[in-house]
Amino acid sequence: MCGIVGAVSSRNIVPILVQGLQRLEYRGYDSCGVAVYAGGLKRARSTSRVAELMAQVSADKLEGGTGIAHTRWATHGAPAVHNAHPHFSHGTGQAAQKPGKVALVHNGIIENHDELRAALQAKGYVFASQTDTEVIVHLMDSLYDGDLFEALKAATRQLQGAYAIAAFCKDEPHRVVGARAGSPLILGVGKEGGENFLASDAMALAGVTDQILYLEEGDLVDIQLGKYWVIDRAHNRVEREVKTVQAHSGAAELGPYRHYMQKEIFEQPRAIADTLEGVNGIVPELFGDAAYRTFKDIDSVLILACGTSYYSGCAAKYWLEGIAKIPTQVEVASEYRYRTSVPDPRTLVVTITQSGETADTLAALRHAQSLGMMQTLTICNVATSAMVRECRLAYITRAGVEIGVASTKAFTTQLAGLFLLTLVLAQSKGRLSEEEEAGHLKAMRHLPAALQAVLALEPQVISWAEDFAKMENALFLGRGLHYPIALEGALKLKEISYIHAEAYPAGELKHGPLALVTSAMPVVTVAPNDSLLEKLKSNLQEVRARGGVLYVLADADTKIESGEGIHVIRMPEHYGALSPLLHVVPLQLLAYHTACARGTDVDKPRNLAKSVTVE
């Protein structure tokens, strides 16, 4: 959700930077800041709105032709001025309290920031914030030898994780450098005096330039007055196409994608990185100041949600009961308040919603509260929504604005938030060892990279989609933790391709659905290498014996091979408890490319709306 704007110009660019932040306010933020070169490093930062920052800039008479600006959600530390971007490097030794050479802003998460921090502290660098971003700026300062672009190249070789970076140096006025890995960054080619811009979103530059160059994964960029260049991840000079973009809103910018749904599928590594940004340890305060006492007082969990969010809750039930050992019930929100239930004030009521305005879920929450269940928490993508206001606790996912009706990145970020909730509850109940916590944190930090590897399977999924486009029915199978993922895969296919699709626990196949299996009924199976694998293989044989055609998403070590009537796509790696976040992505791609092949309206499927605000 964070926003970046940077510029190099012969005029004062502070008004442009601040205006760019205003255009990015839809993303949500709790601090903002701007830094410029004005004979040295100068900045203004605020934990209020951009309008307050603008007043501060005016009062300080902050002006300059080179600068960067940022809106931030507080993650590494409280929403305090010292944690707000832009960050400055500092000198070492006696100069440690004075601004150094480099100013920097950053979106994403640096997985190895602890190790880098320790190494930099050993060199004498003093840290003024709790952010992982400050690690980058000190690292670049330590590597700087007269060429900021070379310092950035050297620094990115050491960074692990997802990031979009923009930085400038007081020793090189009229130069801003940037890097993209797992978080978006664009270059805007200016129309006046050779000025050039960087931003996380084309909307930030609306009215300033419509000439946009979309950086690709791994790109590094150098902008100066009248010139710019880009190198790829191998540090080879490359040319990226400049496109004319009429940016009316950040959410409405498709970039190089055909549909919003495709864009949002490919944004998932960034969305997960943003959602988990700043999760350095498993602490209740991630969910709010009152979380510690609340979690100590609850004995069970009730999850209320609709549609895709309901399926994320179904997956979370396996985590909550398997890892945290907490009894968990998942209810369809639209049904919950219309039946007689047994309330328990020691139940944590968890709502899941992308918009935070879903009428059925809000009504279900209020019904639970009316029954005396006041311990409430929401997993939501909109910090200013009604759901966040009405729940005691919240975890705000950072999927960004999702335009496509068929939810993709909202779903996977919900899963990330729910897994984090599981770990926090497990710790609160004394059921999470330090070793287990470290293992889970490492796995979560690796998720953006793992998702990128899964997205690389797209060509194989397109081949499947060519077969599915000719069908009118499909079955999806999963066992255990992956049954909800099968449900989600079936929902995606029916939502946008209009193919009738159903999902079942694989063990239920012989209890009825097997009667539907023919060569005209493709059967999609999620096959991770877990404790249920051998049982699942038996279910696959039941399909093949009836002439059914199988499409299997298999972990590499499952020993399930392609052959007559069985098509296998191998996942890059087995991901244990977090594997649902990876296995759902090929199912999203399958639905998307099948819909494209059938010529349906992918982003606006018939009869459906994005945010359901009526019952």
Side-chain angles (χ1 to χ4, degrees):
M1 281 189 177
C2 303
I4 288 174
V5 191
V8 172
S9 177
S10 56
R11 57 173 166 161
N12 175 30
I13 47 79
V14 172
I16 293 173
L17 296 177
V18 176
Q19 182 185 64
L21 295 187
Q22 288 180 312
R23 295 182 182 279
L24 296 176
E25 285 189 286
Y26 76 92
R27 294 168 174 258
Y29 64 101
D30 50 33
S31 65
C32 52
V34 59
V36 296
Y37 173 77
L41 302 184
K42 304 292 183 182
R43 69 183 168 190
R45 298 184 290 179
S46 173
T47 55
S48 187
R49 301 291 91 182
V50 174
E52 194 279 336
L53 177 70
M54 186 183 300
Q56 183 180 337
V57 163
S58 178
D60 293 346
K61 298 181 180 179
L62 195 66
E63 296 182 355
T66 300
I68 51 179
H70 192 262
T71 55
R72 171 187 181 259
W73 271 99
T75 53
H76 297 73
V81 170
H82 68 276
N83 287 323
H85 301 211
H87 287 284
F88 290 170
S89 65
H90 296 276
T92 57
Q94 293 182 343
Q97 301 305 317
K98 299 179 180 180
K101 298 178 182 296
V102 183
L104 181 143
V105 294
H106 158 239
N107 295 344
I109 183 168
I110 304 303
E111 297 177 3
N112 61 332
H113 67 93
D114 284 334
E115 301 95 304
L116 293 173
R117 183 188 298 265
L120 289 163
Q121 286 174 329
K123 292 181 180 180
Y125 284 93
V126 177
F127 285 77
S129 78
Q130 289 78 49
T131 68
D132 57 344
T133 300
E134 197 178 359
V135 168
I136 312 173
V137 73
H138 288 321
L139 179 61
M140 287 184 62
D141 185 280
S142 72
L143 296 169
Y144 183 75
D145 190 23
D147 189 322
L148 188 64
F149 195 56
E150 290 300 318
L152 178 65
K153 286 165 62 177
T156 54
R157 292 190 186 101
Q158 298 185 44
L159 299 179
Q160 297 174 16
Y163 51 80
I165 295 168
F168 71 91
C169 178
K170 72 173 185 179
D171 291 348
E172 297 181 80
H174 303 303
R175 186 183 201 185
V176 174
V177 300
R180 174 199 169 164
S183 195
L185 192 66
I186 65 167
L187 188 158
V189 181
K191 299 179 178 180
E192 297 184 24
E195 62 189 13
N196 289 301
F197 305 90
L198 294 180
S200 54
D201 193 314
M203 179 57 188
L205 304 180
V208 177
T209 181
D210 59 0
Q211 299 300 293
I212 303 298
L213 184 154
Y214 289 89
L215 299 176
E216 297 186 7
E217 189 70 8
D219 281 356
L220 284 81
V221 59
D222 188 336
I223 63 171
Q224 301 182 36
L225 277 174
K227 59 184 176 180
Y228 64 84
W229 57 84
V230 180
I231 63 173
D232 62 17
R233 64 170 70 248
H235 293 177
N236 297 315
R237 182 79 174 266
V238 291
E239 298 293 331
R240 303 291 185 215
E241 180 184 0
V242 177
K243 298 184 178 182
T244 301
V245 175
Q246 299 298 327
H248 300 290
S249 72
E253 178 48 53
L254 268 176
Y257 299 103
R258 183 176 174 186
H259 297 97
Y260 295 119
M261 182 178 178
Q262 184 188 30
K263 176 190 178 206
E264 289 155 8
I265 289 171
F266 277 84
E267 285 177 340
Q268 287 176 114
R270 187 274 309 162
I272 292 293
D274 286 354
T275 294
L276 297 176
E277 183 180 5
V279 180
N280 301 312
I282 305 304
V283 293
E285 287 73 22
L286 291 167
F287 293 85
D289 293 339
Y292 177 81
R293 179 175 297 176
T294 299
F295 294 163
K296 285 290 186 182
D297 290 342
I298 61 103
D299 296 326
S300 62
V301 173
L302 169 64
I303 296 175
L304 303 171
C306 300
T308 285
S309 296
Y310 171 74
Y311 295 146
S312 70
C314 291
K317 174 181 172 72
Y318 287 91
W319 289 331
L320 287 162
E321 295 194 339
I323 297 174
K325 312 299 182 187
I326 295 178
T328 301
Q329 187 175 359
V330 189
E331 293 267 4
V332 175
S334 59
E335 291 288 320
Y336 170 67
R337 74 187 185 109
Y338 295 112
R339 71 173 188 83
T340 301
S341 58
V342 181
D344 180 356
R346 292 183 64 85
T347 293
L348 178 66
V349 179
V350 178
T351 63
I352 311 170
T353 165
Q354 186 272 329
S355 67
E357 306 291 344
T358 307
D360 288 320
T361 311
L362 280 167
L365 169 70
R366 293 161 186 162
H367 177 65
Q369 291 170 326
S370 73
L371 296 176
M373 293 191 287
M374 306 306 296
Q375 311 288 8
T376 58
L377 180 152
T378 189
I379 305 291
C380 183
N381 194 45
V382 181
T384 57
S385 66
M387 191 67 73
V388 173
R389 292 194 302 270
E390 294 189 27
C391 287
R392 290 186 64 190
L393 305 174
Y395 193 82
I396 308 303
T397 57
R398 300 179 181 186
V401 177
E402 188 178 63
I403 298 299
V405 167
S407 180
T408 52
K409 61 180 180 176
F411 177 73
T412 47
T413 53
Q414 286 169 355
L415 287 176
L418 288 163
F419 189 74
L420 187 60
L421 175 63
T422 299
L423 298 183
V424 170
L425 287 174
Q427 186 195 68
S428 297
K429 301 299 183 183
R431 296 161 189 163
L432 186 71
S433 69
E434 290 185 5
E435 183 180 359
E436 289 169 332
E437 176 180 343
H440 288 309
L441 283 171
K442 181 178 180 181
M444 285 192 293
R445 289 171 182 147
H446 181 58
L447 274 172
L451 283 165
Q452 289 286 6
V454 175
L455 288 167
L457 299 173
E458 186 181 32
Q460 298 177 59
V461 178
I462 292 173
S463 178
W464 281 15
E466 292 170 355
D467 295 340
F468 275 73
K470 305 168 189 174
M471 306 297 177
E472 295 301 328
N473 302 279
L475 283 176
F476 287 70
L477 303 178
R479 294 201 74 132
L481 181 59
H482 295 83
Y483 169 47
I485 300 309
L487 286 164
E488 174 63 9
L491 177 62
K492 285 291 154 285
L493 189 67
K494 70 181 76 170
E495 278 182 312
I496 61 170
S497 75
Y498 314 146
I499 293 173
H500 173 243
E502 294 186 65
Y504 289 90
E508 286 294 294
L509 193 62
K510 54 186 171 292
H511 295 289
L514 198 58
L516 297 173
V517 172
T518 69
S519 59
M521 172 74 84
V523 180
V524 181
T525 307
V526 182
N529 189 8
D530 58 19
S531 60
L532 293 172
L533 178 62
E534 294 307 317
K535 296 288 186 184
L536 183 62
K537 287 182 178 179
S538 297
N539 303 139
L540 301 186
Q541 291 303 317
E542 292 169 356
V543 173
R544 287 298 301 125
R546 275 76 180 178
V549 180
L550 288 162
Y551 294 80
V552 185
L553 292 172
D555 284 347
D557 49 0
T558 54
K559 298 181 180 178
I560 300 174
E561 305 293 339
S562 295
E564 184 179 356
I566 180 167
H567 308 272
V568 177
I569 291 178
R570 300 209 175 281
M571 300 291 286
E573 57 184 305
H574 176 55
Y575 219 65
L578 285 168
S579 64
L581 281 84
L582 303 187
H583 277 87
V584 75
V585 174
L587 300 183
Q588 296 169 346
L589 289 169
L590 176 62
Y592 171 73
H593 286 291
T594 300
C596 287
R598 289 168 69 95
T600 63
D601 190 339
V602 171
D603 289 323
K604 297 179 181 179
R606 64 191 184 201
N607 305 330
L608 300 177
K610 182 62 186 172
S611 180
V612 183
T613 55
V614 294
E615 282 196 72

